[in-house]
PDB file of all heavy atoms in Angstrom:
ATOM      1  N   ASP A1350      44.849  44.745 -42.257  1.00 92.00           N
ATOM      2  CA  ASP A1350      44.891  46.125 -42.752  1.00 92.00           C
ATOM      3  C   ASP A1350      45.204  47.074 -41.576  1.00 92.00           C
ATOM      4  O   ASP A1350      44.298  47.378 -40.811  1.00 92.00           O
ATOM      5  CB  ASP A1350      43.588  46.516 -43.407  1.00 92.00           C
ATOM      6  CG  ASP A1350      43.548  47.914 -43.964  1.00 92.00           C
ATOM      7  OD1 ASP A1350      44.618  48.564 -44.021  1.00 92.00           O
ATOM      8  OD2 ASP A1350      42.450  48.388 -44.317  1.00 92.00           O
ATOM      9  N   MET A1351      46.423  47.565 -41.513  1.00 91.00           N
ATOM     10  CA  MET A1351      46.763  48.501 -40.417  1.00 91.00           C
ATOM     11  C   MET A1351      46.167  49.874 -40.680  1.00 91.00           C
ATOM     12  O   MET A1351      46.256  50.756 -39.813  1.00 91.00           O
ATOM     13  CB  MET A1351      48.283  48.606 -40.265  1.00 91.00           C
ATOM     14  CG  MET A1351      48.893  47.477 -39.446  1.00 91.00           C
ATOM     15  SD  MET A1351      48.142  47.221 -37.831  1.00 91.00           S
ATOM     16  CE  MET A1351      48.605  48.748 -37.011  1.00 91.00           C
ATOM     17  N   GLY A1352      45.560  50.075 -41.834  1.00 90.00           N
ATOM     18  CA  GLY A1352      44.806  51.300 -42.088  1.00 90.00           C
ATOM     19  C   GLY A1352      43.439  51.299 -41.419  1.00 90.00           C
ATOM     20  O   GLY A1352      42.776  52.340 -41.351  1.00 90.00           O
ATOM     21  N   ASN A1353      43.050  50.143 -40.906  1.00 93.00           N
ATOM     22  CA  ASN A1353      41.756  49.975 -40.249  1.00 93.00           C
ATOM     23  C   ASN A1353      41.987  50.156 -38.744  1.00 93.00           C
ATOM     24  O   ASN A1353      42.707  49.364 -38.152  1.00 93.00           O
ATOM     25  CB  ASN A1353      41.157  48.601 -40.551  1.00 93.00           C
ATOM     26  CG  ASN A1353      39.777  48.420 -39.984  1.00 93.00           C
ATOM     27  OD1 ASN A1353      39.359  49.140 -39.043  1.00 93.00           O
ATOM     28  ND2 ASN A1353      39.040  47.478 -40.508  1.00 93.00           N
ATOM     29  N   PRO A1354      41.363  51.174 -38.113  1.00 94.00           N
ATOM     30  CA  PRO A1354      41.567  51.371 -36.670  1.00 94.00           C
ATOM     31  C   PRO A1354      41.233  50.165 -35.803  1.00 94.00           C
ATOM     32  O   PRO A1354      41.719  50.030 -34.686  1.00 94.00           O
ATOM     33  CB  PRO A1354      40.641  52.549 -36.392  1.00 94.00           C
ATOM     34  CG  PRO A1354      40.544  53.282 -37.671  1.00 94.00           C
ATOM     35  CD  PRO A1354      40.544  52.218 -38.713  1.00 94.00           C
ATOM     36  N   PHE A1355      40.412  49.275 -36.303  1.00 95.00           N
ATOM     37  CA  PHE A1355      40.080  48.049 -35.556  1.00 95.00           C
ATOM     38  C   PHE A1355      41.382  47.282 -35.269  1.00 95.00           C
ATOM     39  O   PHE A1355      41.625  46.846 -34.139  1.00 95.00           O
ATOM     40  CB  PHE A1355      39.119  47.170 -36.333  1.00 95.00           C
ATOM     41  CG  PHE A1355      38.980  45.768 -35.810  1.00 95.00           C
ATOM     42  CD1 PHE A1355      38.266  45.506 -34.663  1.00 95.00           C
ATOM     43  CD2 PHE A1355      39.603  44.707 -36.470  1.00 95.00           C
ATOM     44  CE1 PHE A1355      38.182  44.247 -34.149  1.00 95.00           C
ATOM     45  CE2 PHE A1355      39.504  43.420 -35.992  1.00 95.00           C
ATOM     46  CZ  PHE A1355      38.783  43.180 -34.851  1.00 95.00           C
ATOM     47  N   PHE A1356      42.227  47.114 -36.278  1.00 95.00           N
ATOM     48  CA  PHE A1356      43.456  46.360 -36.111  1.00 95.00           C
ATOM     49  C   PHE A1356      44.505  47.145 -35.297  1.00 95.00           C
ATOM     50  O   PHE A1356      45.371  46.544 -34.635  1.00 95.00           O
ATOM     51  CB  PHE A1356      44.027  45.924 -37.450  1.00 95.00           C
ATOM     52  CG  PHE A1356      43.202  44.820 -38.088  1.00 95.00           C
ATOM     53  CD1 PHE A1356      42.484  45.077 -39.220  1.00 95.00           C
ATOM     54  CD2 PHE A1356      43.157  43.575 -37.523  1.00 95.00           C
ATOM     55  CE1 PHE A1356      41.714  44.080 -39.853  1.00 95.00           C
ATOM     56  CE2 PHE A1356      42.393  42.589 -38.111  1.00 95.00           C
ATOM     57  CZ  PHE A1356      41.664  42.828 -39.255  1.00 95.00           C
ATOM     58  N   VAL A1357      44.423  48.484 -35.332  1.00 95.00           N
ATOM     59  CA  VAL A1357      45.278  49.271 -34.486  1.00 95.00           C
ATOM     60  C   VAL A1357      44.934  48.986 -33.034  1.00 95.00           C
ATOM     61  O   VAL A1357      45.828  48.840 -32.175  1.00 95.00           O
ATOM     62  CB  VAL A1357      45.104  50.757 -34.800  1.00 95.00           C
ATOM     63  CG1 VAL A1357      45.902  51.609 -33.783  1.00 95.00           C
ATOM     64  CG2 VAL A1357      45.557  51.063 -36.212  1.00 95.00           C
ATOM     65  N   ASP A1358      43.652  48.869 -32.713  1.00 96.00           N
ATOM     66  CA  ASP A1358      43.244  48.561 -31.339  1.00 96.00           C
ATOM     67  C   ASP A1358      43.670  47.125 -30.944  1.00 96.00           C
ATOM     68  O   ASP A1358      44.064  46.887 -29.805  1.00 96.00           O
ATOM     69  CB  ASP A1358      41.732  48.704 -31.189  1.00 96.00           C
ATOM     70  CG  ASP A1358      41.324  50.191 -31.168  1.00 96.00           C
ATOM     71  OD1 ASP A1358      42.186  51.036 -30.906  1.00 96.00           O
ATOM     72  OD2 ASP A1358      40.121  50.468 -31.389  1.00 96.00           O
ATOM     73  N   VAL A1359      43.540  46.189 -31.863  1.00 97.00           N
ATOM     74  CA  VAL A1359      44.024  44.819 -31.587  1.00 97.00           C
ATOM     75  C   VAL A1359      45.510  44.879 -31.246  1.00 97.00           C
ATOM     76  O   VAL A1359      45.969  44.245 -30.265  1.00 97.00           O
ATOM     77  CB  VAL A1359      43.802  43.905 -32.808  1.00 97.00           C
ATOM     78  CG1 VAL A1359      44.517  42.558 -32.614  1.00 97.00           C
ATOM     79  CG2 VAL A1359      42.310  43.656 -33.025  1.00 97.00           C
ATOM     80  N   ALA A1360      46.281  45.636 -32.040  1.00 96.00           N
ATOM     81  CA  ALA A1360      47.728  45.758 -31.788  1.00 96.00           C
ATOM     82  C   ALA A1360      48.001  46.411 -30.444  1.00 96.00           C
ATOM     83  O   ALA A1360      48.997  46.009 -29.752  1.00 96.00           O
ATOM     84  CB  ALA A1360      48.376  46.577 -32.919  1.00 96.00           C
ATOM     85  N   ARG A1361      47.208  47.392 -30.032  1.00 96.00           N
ATOM     86  CA  ARG A1361      47.391  48.022 -28.720  1.00 96.00           C
ATOM     87  C   ARG A1361      47.288  47.019 -27.610  1.00 96.00           C
ATOM     88  O   ARG A1361      48.080  46.997 -26.665  1.00 96.00           O
ATOM     89  CB  ARG A1361      46.374  49.128 -28.552  1.00 96.00           C
ATOM     90  CG  ARG A1361      46.644  50.421 -29.302  1.00 96.00           C
ATOM     91  CD  ARG A1361      45.529  51.407 -29.167  1.00 96.00           C
ATOM     92  NE  ARG A1361      45.094  51.575 -27.777  1.00 96.00           N
ATOM     93  CZ  ARG A1361      43.850  51.820 -27.397  1.00 96.00           C
ATOM     94  NH1 ARG A1361      42.892  51.873 -28.248  1.00 96.00           N
ATOM     95  NH2 ARG A1361      43.552  52.009 -26.116  1.00 96.00           N
ATOM     96  N   GLY A1362      46.251  46.192 -27.682  1.00 97.00           N
ATOM     97  CA  GLY A1362      46.047  45.189 -26.643  1.00 97.00           C
ATOM     98  C   GLY A1362      47.186  44.149 -26.622  1.00 97.00           C
ATOM     99  O   GLY A1362      47.692  43.812 -25.536  1.00 97.00           O
ATOM    100  N   ALA A1363      47.645  43.729 -27.802  1.00 97.00           N
ATOM    101  CA  ALA A1363      48.720  42.762 -27.841  1.00 97.00           C
ATOM    102  C   ALA A1363      50.038  43.363 -27.384  1.00 97.00           C
ATOM    103  O   ALA A1363      50.793  42.733 -26.637  1.00 97.00           O
ATOM    104  CB  ALA A1363      48.873  42.250 -29.316  1.00 97.00           C
ATOM    105  N   GLU A1364      50.313  44.588 -27.808  1.00 96.00           N
ATOM    106  CA  GLU A1364      51.583  45.243 -27.450  1.00 96.00           C
ATOM    107  C   GLU A1364      51.700  45.456 -25.954  1.00 96.00           C
ATOM    108  O   GLU A1364      52.736  45.253 -25.355  1.00 96.00           O
ATOM    109  CB  GLU A1364      51.722  46.602 -28.192  1.00 96.00           C
ATOM    110  CG  GLU A1364      53.053  47.237 -28.076  1.00 96.00           C
ATOM    111  CD  GLU A1364      53.195  48.097 -26.844  1.00 96.00           C
ATOM    112  OE1 GLU A1364      52.178  48.570 -26.317  1.00 96.00           O
ATOM    113  OE2 GLU A1364      54.361  48.304 -26.372  1.00 96.00           O
ATOM    114  N   ARG A1365      50.612  45.877 -25.341  1.00 96.00           N
ATOM    115  CA  ARG A1365      50.594  46.103 -23.882  1.00 96.00           C
ATOM    116  C   ARG A1365      50.904  44.829 -23.122  1.00 96.00           C
ATOM    117  O   ARG A1365      51.707  44.809 -22.175  1.00 96.00           O
ATOM    118  CB  ARG A1365      49.247  46.678 -23.450  1.00 96.00           C
ATOM    119  CG  ARG A1365      49.145  47.151 -22.006  1.00 96.00           C
ATOM    120  CD  ARG A1365      47.777  47.660 -21.736  1.00 96.00           C
ATOM    121  NE  ARG A1365      47.339  48.694 -22.680  1.00 96.00           N
ATOM    122  CZ  ARG A1365      46.095  48.937 -23.005  1.00 96.00           C
ATOM    123  NH1 ARG A1365      45.115  48.229 -22.490  1.00 96.00           N
ATOM    124  NH2 ARG A1365      45.806  49.894 -23.885  1.00 96.00           N
ATOM    125  N   THR A1366      50.305  43.737 -23.548  1.00 96.00           N
ATOM    126  CA  THR A1366      50.528  42.441 -22.884  1.00 96.00           C
ATOM    127  C   THR A1366      51.972  41.976 -23.098  1.00 96.00           C
ATOM    128  O   THR A1366      52.596  41.455 -22.175  1.00 96.00           O
ATOM    129  CB  THR A1366      49.542  41.415 -23.405  1.00 96.00           C
ATOM    130  OG1 THR A1366      48.214  41.900 -23.186  1.00 96.00           O
ATOM    131  CG2 THR A1366      49.705  40.074 -22.752  1.00 96.00           C
ATOM    132  N   ALA A1367      52.442  42.118 -24.361  1.00 95.00           N
ATOM    133  CA  ALA A1367      53.812  41.705 -24.649  1.00 95.00           C
ATOM    134  C   ALA A1367      54.834  42.509 -23.858  1.00 95.00           C
ATOM    135  O   ALA A1367      55.788  41.960 -23.321  1.00 95.00           O
ATOM    136  CB  ALA A1367      54.057  41.816 -26.148  1.00 95.00           C
ATOM    137  N   ARG A1368      54.613  43.808 -23.768  1.00 94.00           N
ATOM    138  CA  ARG A1368      55.547  44.673 -23.048  1.00 94.00           C
ATOM    139  C   ARG A1368      55.611  44.256 -21.563  1.00 94.00           C
ATOM    140  O   ARG A1368      56.683  44.249 -20.967  1.00 94.00           O
ATOM    141  CB  ARG A1368      55.126  46.132 -23.167  1.00 94.00           C
ATOM    142  CG  ARG A1368      56.130  47.109 -22.567  1.00 94.00           C
ATOM    143  CD  ARG A1368      55.711  48.536 -22.773  1.00 94.00           C
ATOM    144  NE  ARG A1368      54.491  48.859 -22.091  1.00 94.00           N
ATOM    145  CZ  ARG A1368      53.386  49.326 -22.660  1.00 94.00           C
ATOM    146  NH1 ARG A1368      53.341  49.538 -23.929  1.00 94.00           N
ATOM    147  NH2 ARG A1368      52.310  49.605 -21.927  1.00 94.00           N
ATOM    148  N   ASP A1369      54.459  43.962 -20.975  1.00 94.00           N
ATOM    149  CA  ASP A1369      54.457  43.543 -19.568  1.00 94.00           C
ATOM    150  C   ASP A1369      55.257  42.255 -19.348  1.00 94.00           C
ATOM    151  O   ASP A1369      55.742  41.985 -18.258  1.00 94.00           O
ATOM    152  CB  ASP A1369      53.000  43.311 -19.110  1.00 94.00           C
ATOM    153  CG  ASP A1369      52.237  44.631 -18.962  1.00 94.00           C
ATOM    154  OD1 ASP A1369      52.877  45.717 -18.946  1.00 94.00           O
ATOM    155  OD2 ASP A1369      50.995  44.582 -18.887  1.00 94.00           O
ATOM    156  N   ALA A1370      55.359  41.480 -20.445  1.00 92.00           N
ATOM    157  CA  ALA A1370      56.141  40.229 -20.356  1.00 92.00           C
ATOM    158  C   ALA A1370      57.583  40.399 -20.817  1.00 92.00           C
ATOM    159  O   ALA A1370      58.327  39.458 -20.906  1.00 92.00           O
ATOM    160  CB  ALA A1370      55.451  39.166 -21.215  1.00 92.00           C
ATOM    161  N   GLY A1371      57.970  41.670 -21.072  1.00 91.00           N
ATOM    162  CA  GLY A1371      59.372  41.942 -21.492  1.00 91.00           C
ATOM    163  C   GLY A1371      59.612  41.648 -22.945  1.00 91.00           C
ATOM    164  O   GLY A1371      60.763  41.493 -23.357  1.00 91.00           O
ATOM    165  N   LEU A1372      58.577  41.583 -23.758  1.00 93.00           N
ATOM    166  CA  LEU A1372      58.703  41.321 -25.175  1.00 93.00           C
ATOM    167  C   LEU A1372      58.339  42.543 -26.033  1.00 93.00           C
ATOM    168  O   LEU A1372      57.590  43.424 -25.582  1.00 93.00           O
ATOM    169  CB  LEU A1372      57.829  40.121 -25.603  1.00 93.00           C
ATOM    170  CG  LEU A1372      58.018  38.816 -24.862  1.00 93.00           C
ATOM    171  CD1 LEU A1372      57.080  37.764 -25.425  1.00 93.00           C
ATOM    172  CD2 LEU A1372      59.438  38.346 -24.981  1.00 93.00           C
ATOM    173  N   GLY A1373      58.852  42.559 -27.264  1.00 93.00           N
ATOM    174  CA  GLY A1373      58.424  43.548 -28.204  1.00 93.00           C
ATOM    175  C   GLY A1373      57.499  42.917 -29.243  1.00 93.00           C
ATOM    176  O   GLY A1373      57.407  41.673 -29.342  1.00 93.00           O
ATOM    177  N   VAL A1374      56.834  43.745 -30.059  1.00 95.00           N
ATOM    178  CA  VAL A1374      55.929  43.249 -31.062  1.00 95.00           C
ATOM    179  C   VAL A1374      56.354  43.755 -32.451  1.00 95.00           C
ATOM    180  O   VAL A1374      56.553  44.967 -32.640  1.00 95.00           O
ATOM    181  CB  VAL A1374      54.468  43.672 -30.807  1.00 95.00           C
ATOM    182  CG1 VAL A1374      53.552  43.163 -31.905  1.00 95.00           C
ATOM    183  CG2 VAL A1374      54.001  43.139 -29.444  1.00 95.00           C
ATOM    184  N   MET A1375      56.520  42.844 -33.389  1.00 95.00           N
ATOM    185  CA  MET A1375      56.783  43.205 -34.795  1.00 95.00           C
ATOM    186  C   MET A1375      55.450  43.185 -35.531  1.00 95.00           C
ATOM    187  O   MET A1375      54.875  42.103 -35.760  1.00 95.00           O
ATOM    188  CB  MET A1375      57.774  42.220 -35.434  1.00 95.00           C
ATOM    189  CG  MET A1375      58.097  42.567 -36.873  1.00 95.00           C
ATOM    190  SD  MET A1375      59.026  41.206 -37.699  1.00 95.00           S
ATOM    191  CE  MET A1375      60.500  41.116 -36.688  1.00 95.00           C
ATOM    192  N   VAL A1376      54.933  44.351 -35.868  1.00 95.00           N
ATOM    193  CA  VAL A1376      53.629  44.447 -36.535  1.00 95.00           C
ATOM    194  C   VAL A1376      53.784  44.508 -38.039  1.00 95.00           C
ATOM    195  O   VAL A1376      54.538  45.347 -38.559  1.00 95.00           O
ATOM    196  CB  VAL A1376      52.854  45.701 -36.029  1.00 95.00           C
ATOM    197  CG1 VAL A1376      51.471  45.742 -36.689  1.00 95.00           C
ATOM    198  CG2 VAL A1376      52.718  45.688 -34.534  1.00 95.00           C
ATOM    199  N   CYS A1377      53.104  43.639 -38.748  1.00 96.00           N
ATOM    200  CA  CYS A1377      53.163  43.605 -40.212  1.00 96.00           C
ATOM    201  C   CYS A1377      51.730  43.587 -40.773  1.00 96.00           C
ATOM    202  O   CYS A1377      50.765  43.141 -40.110  1.00 96.00           O
ATOM    203  CB  CYS A1377      53.886  42.350 -40.677  1.00 96.00           C
ATOM    204  SG  CYS A1377      55.639  42.286 -40.147  1.00 96.00           S
ATOM    205  N   ASN A1378      51.628  44.080 -42.010  1.00 96.00           N
ATOM    206  CA  ASN A1378      50.332  44.302 -42.673  1.00 96.00           C
ATOM    207  C   ASN A1378      50.284  43.483 -43.943  1.00 96.00           C
ATOM    208  O   ASN A1378      51.024  43.736 -44.884  1.00 96.00           O
ATOM    209  CB  ASN A1378      50.175  45.804 -42.933  1.00 96.00           C
ATOM    210  CG  ASN A1378      48.888  46.109 -43.711  1.00 96.00           C
ATOM    211  OD1 ASN A1378      47.908  45.373 -43.586  1.00 96.00           O
ATOM    212  ND2 ASN A1378      48.924  47.169 -44.473  1.00 96.00           N
ATOM    213  N   SER A1379      49.401  42.492 -43.991  1.00 95.00           N
ATOM    214  CA  SER A1379      49.284  41.668 -45.210  1.00 95.00           C
ATOM    215  C   SER A1379      48.530  42.389 -46.312  1.00 95.00           C
ATOM    216  O   SER A1379      48.569  41.923 -47.466  1.00 95.00           O
ATOM    217  CB  SER A1379      48.561  40.349 -44.904  1.00 95.00           C
ATOM    218  OG  SER A1379      47.182  40.571 -44.646  1.00 95.00           O
ATOM    219  N   ALA A1380      47.853  43.490 -45.987  1.00 92.00           N
ATOM    220  CA  ALA A1380      47.059  44.243 -46.977  1.00 92.00           C
ATOM    221  C   ALA A1380      46.058  43.327 -47.673  1.00 92.00           C
ATOM    222  O   ALA A1380      45.773  43.506 -48.843  1.00 92.00           O
ATOM    223  CB  ALA A1380      47.980  44.931 -48.003  1.00 92.00           C
ATOM    224  N   GLN A1381      45.528  42.342 -46.929  1.00 89.00           N
ATOM    225  CA  GLN A1381      44.521  41.430 -47.431  1.00 89.00           C
ATOM    226  C   GLN A1381      45.044  40.622 -48.589  1.00 89.00           C
ATOM    227  O   GLN A1381      44.259  40.088 -49.414  1.00 89.00           O
ATOM    228  CB  GLN A1381      43.230  42.196 -47.804  1.00 89.00           C
ATOM    229  CG  GLN A1381      42.638  42.987 -46.681  1.00 89.00           C
ATOM    230  CD  GLN A1381      41.478  43.885 -47.092  1.00 89.00           C
ATOM    231  OE1 GLN A1381      40.625  43.454 -47.893  1.00 89.00           O
ATOM    232  NE2 GLN A1381      41.426  45.098 -46.591  1.00 89.00           N
ATOM    233  N   SER A1382      46.340  40.460 -48.673  1.00 93.00           N
ATOM    234  CA  SER A1382      46.973  39.713 -49.783  1.00 93.00           C
ATOM    235  C   SER A1382      47.568  38.408 -49.262  1.00 93.00           C
ATOM    236  O   SER A1382      48.405  38.405 -48.364  1.00 93.00           O
ATOM    237  CB  SER A1382      48.091  40.560 -50.421  1.00 93.00           C
ATOM    238  OG  SER A1382      48.936  39.784 -51.226  1.00 93.00           O
TER     239      SER A1382
END
Side-chain angles (χ1 to χ4, degrees):
D1350 181 11
M1351 279 306 294
N1353 186 340
F1355 166 75
F1356 288 111
V1357 174
D1358 286 342
V1359 170
R1361 283 174 50 214
E1364 189 276 334
R1365 187 181 306 153
T1366 302
R1368 186 177 65 237
D1369 289 345
L1372 304 181
V1374 178
M1375 181 191 299
V1376 182
C1377 297
N1378 176 28
S1379 71
Q1381 302 172 41
S1382 164

